[in-house]
Amino acid sequence: MRRFLLLAWVLAALAAGLAAQLADAAWVAHWLWRAAALPVALHVAVGLVRALLGGRLGVDAVALAAILGAIALDEAAAAAVIGLMVAGGEALEAWAEGRATSALTDLMARAPRHAARIEGDAIAEIDVAAIRPQDLLLVRPGETIPADGTLEDDAATLDDSALTGEALPVSLRRGAALRSGGVNAGPAFRLRATHDAAASTYAAILRLTQEAAAARAPLARLADQWALGFVIATGAMAGGAWVATGDPLRALAVLVVATPCPLILAAPVALMAGIGRAARRGIVVKGGGALERLARIRTVLFDKTGTLTPGHPRLAAIDADPVLGRDGALRLAAALAQGSTHPVSAALVAAAGARGIDVQLPQDVTEVAGGGVTGMVEGRSLMLGAEAFLHEAGIDPQDGFGLVAQVAAAAGSVAWLAVDGRAVAAFVMADGMRQEAPRAVRRLRALDIRRIALVTGDRAAAAQSIGRALRLDAVFAGQSPADKIAVVRVEASTAPTAMVGDGVNDAPALAAADVGIAMGAHGTAAAAQAGDVVLLVDRVDRVPEAIAIARRSRRVALQAIAIGMGMSVIAMAFAAAGLLAPLAGALLQEAIDVFAILYALTALRPARDDQAGGALSPEAGLDERRREHAGLRDLAEHLRSAGEAIGTATRAPDLAAIAARLRGELLPHQREEERALYPEAAARLGGQDPMAPLVRMHAEIEALAERVAVLLRLGAAPEGWHAAAPELRRTLFALEALLRLHLSVEEEMLAGLDAPPR
């Protein structure tokens, strides 16, 4: 506020002096202009003394010398304009910093201060500091969630745009975990607090925001160093012009146009603009120093679980006794898994639900930590767990399942099911890649990141499969936290290195890297505190976006400095040659300052290559099509099962049902994608016909589905099955492979066109 008051005083006095000059009251005008300049000189002198007491020469020395010199040489108008330049520069800096940090300011302004706690039949208004775990809170429409918790009602709609940068609201169901800071965009709902307000997500974000706003960037300090040299050069040029010509006005003109506002203002404004832009995209950068280091990164190291993978296992494949069948085995395993809290158990229950399999409640369930679970289902004694768990009960799970064990060694872990003392099924579990991970790695390559590696504590087989799929340069598996630090230090010795992780065991490595990037949406507090950059959105593709923003901000800062100071140096040369009077120089320098700061603010805008993409409209139906993918993957599993069951003398039992699903489920899904989803996605992705490969796959899938129908008709004729069976078997396998490939490719292509998954 003081800066704007000073500017108002200078403008008023300058205008009054101009009016007096036009009224032929020159002596009044001169005193008014002096009155405009002297408070600014006093303000600058105080700042200069503070800088000297801090052990450095303030760059405002040039401005102070220019004002005092103009008054001494009876150039009152020039003194007033210099005062306007200084006061206006500071006010413009304050406005620019406010503009650049508006996203951070919005986060602070939205911090909830009160909450409604449900106490029996009454509602009490309490301070957020009084919230305790297990409190039942009421969140009204438009209110900000005050603390982390779980949803106690059937549904809620949240607007997380201020936290994640995504404009589309998200719908959540009962039991969903809600983060503080989101805004209720629907009807009121009840929330069961899991943390107090101080330990919740939004409070941590505010602390990170305050750190980001308070930190001073190395580029700003470097600008101060350049400014010090510039002060010396300015004094030499001004003194030289005076000595050479004997005209003190030339020295004054040099001082006037030499005020290094572009140097001392442009760098911090551009960097704060970058921090503000990052915040709007759900990326909290802890200050300009972190932003500068991020801009220089050339090596990126990723953790695996929770970073490149979601961290939640999913069912990848089933091998079962033919008598029981895959669906029968999953029905029993999912029923028993209901009595366990292990992530593998949750994955089995979810897989059964996705396939529409009804499961009974288990009885006499006993869970052994780190081993497995036992119980009774449908009157049978079941065991579900690791290989060692079954071995302890005298059951050899490898008997008849050697192939699955070999597959699991390369692709994931295995949960074994034993019924009445005999192993009958093996469930291959895998922690699949995040949909956006391949795109993130390719974007990093496009940003000239020269080395990308995986550093994980997981076993080599699981890590190598991720490394191969993403085409990483190196994979370091089986790494302890101390090993991760050693890898980071080795990589950082050759190039600036960033480490990306989310867990407690990643925190030391994040702290050891040049830049630690923490997945803060669902990651641990330790990782968020150790990281220099915190991703509030649970998407790994924010990593290359953060680097791109940092590089653009640093580039804009350097360009603003170079342009502003280059123009000032040219003006100094003209002033030293007597071609620029002090008053004209002051007006010119004011224009240079404004231009340099406004140019620095262009760091708020996205780069040209960042403007493609964006969320699709609801009419495109992306969410609906994605939900249908679970059913199509189940269809692919049945295609494989049917192909395996076909013999020249026997028919697969569910071929008619599969043909019906192809007609009623798969083909309508593809037609709807081509009608509504693909045209809008193509417009977002840009380029020449980006959806052509997916449309071509659709055509091939339709051709194979038609072939299945034809072969089934041929096989229904007398003696026709023997001739049709081999070709039908091959067609089912081909259709299954193409369908799985198509689903994976489509999900990756469209990964950046929706709101982040929550």
Side-chain angles (χ1 to χ4, degrees), residues 423-508:
V424 297
F427 302 93
V428 179
M429 311 302 297
D431 185 11
M433 280 190 304
R434 292 178 180 269
Q435 290 181 359
E436 73 274 11
R439 185 183 298 273
V441 171
R442 290 197 296 271
R443 179 76 190 281
L444 287 172
R445 301 285 188 197
L447 289 171
D448 196 30
I449 299 298
R450 297 163 190 169
R451 183 169 169 82
I452 307 174
L454 179 63
V455 185
T456 177
D458 207 347
R459 55 198 178 86
Q464 289 290 349
S465 65
I466 296 293
R468 282 195 302 271
L470 294 176
R471 297 298 189 261
L472 302 183
D473 299 308
V475 174
F476 302 93
Q479 303 291 300
S480 67
D483 295 333
K484 289 185 177 182
I485 292 176
V487 171
V488 168
R489 286 175 176 167
V490 169
E491 297 292 339
S493 66
T494 59
T497 298
M499 174 72 194
V500 188
D502 77 315
V504 172
N505 62 338
D506 297 322

Side-chain angles (χ1 to χ4, degrees), residues 230-243:
F230 190 75
V231 168
I232 297 173
T234 298
M237 181 177 289
W242 191 353
V243 170

Side-chain angles (χ1 to χ4, degrees), residues 550-578:
R551 290 186 179 177
R552 172 168 168 75
S553 301
R554 189 172 190 273
R555 183 170 64 251
V556 168
L558 293 173
Q559 289 171 347
I561 289 173
I563 293 172
M565 295 313 298
M567 294 170 69
S568 293
V569 169
I570 294 172
M572 288 167 62
F574 276 88

Side-chain angles (χ1 to χ4, degrees), residues 644-692:
E644 291 173 347
I646 288 177
T648 55
T650 59
R651 298 172 183 264
D654 56 353
L655 285 176
I658 287 177
R661 290 188 67 182
L662 291 175
R663 292 191 306 271
E665 186 176 337
L666 175 59
L667 299 183
H669 170 88
Q670 295 190 161
R671 286 194 294 269
E672 193 61 25
E673 284 184 328
E674 293 184 27
R675 183 193 69 81
L677 176 58
Y678 285 5
E680 188 170 336
R684 294 289 192 278
L685 294 173
Q688 270 193 329
D689 199 9
M691 311 308 292

Side-chain angles (χ1 to χ4, degrees), residues 306-551:
T307 303
L308 289 178
T309 68
H312 306 293
R314 62 175 178 81
L315 180 61
I318 306 174
D319 195 11
D321 187 310
V323 176
L324 182 61
R326 291 187 175 91
D327 284 353
L330 181 57
R331 184 184 74 252
L332 294 177
L336 182 59
Q338 293 177 103
S340 169
T341 59
H342 195 278
V344 170
S345 297
L348 291 172
V349 174
R355 298 187 184 197
I357 299 175
D358 294 327
V359 296
Q360 295 185 4
L361 290 175
Q363 298 175 342
D364 302 327
V365 177
T366 302
E367 185 172 11
V368 178
V373 60
T374 63
M376 299 293 295
V377 176
E378 298 179 2
R380 301 181 184 184
S381 175
L382 269 59
M383 295 185 67
L384 177 67
E387 182 176 354
F389 182 63
L390 269 66
H391 271 303
E392 292 177 359
I395 302 173
D396 181 11
Q398 294 286 349
D399 185 17
F401 294 101
L403 179 59
V404 166
Q406 295 174 28
V407 172
S413 60
V414 172
W416 302 91
L417 176 67
V419 177
D420 297 329
R422 185 174 70 88
V424 297
F427 302 93
V428 179
M429 311 302 297
D431 185 11
M433 280 190 304
R434 292 178 180 269
Q435 290 181 359
E436 73 274 11
R439 185 183 298 273
V441 171
R442 290 197 296 271
R443 179 76 190 281
L444 287 172
R445 301 285 188 197
L447 289 171
D448 196 30
I449 299 298
R450 297 163 190 169
R451 183 169 169 82
I452 307 174
L454 179 63
V455 185
T456 177
D458 207 347
R459 55 198 178 86
Q464 289 290 349
S465 65
I466 296 293
R468 282 195 302 271
L470 294 176
R471 297 298 189 261
L472 302 183
D473 299 308
V475 174
F476 302 93
Q479 303 291 300
S480 67
D483 295 333
K484 289 185 177 182
I485 292 176
V487 171
V488 168
R489 286 175 176 167
V490 169
E491 297 292 339
S493 66
T494 59
T497 298
M499 174 72 194
V500 188
D502 77 315
V504 172
N505 62 338
D506 297 322
L510 294 178
D514 295 299
V515 177
I517 303 177
M519 302 284 289
H522 298 293
T524 65
Q529 290 298 323
D532 302 291
V533 178
V534 181
L535 307 182
L536 304 181
V537 183
D538 195 28
R539 294 180 67 103
V540 74
D541 56 1
R542 288 296 199 268
V543 173
E545 185 171 355
I547 293 175
I549 289 173
R551 290 186 179 177

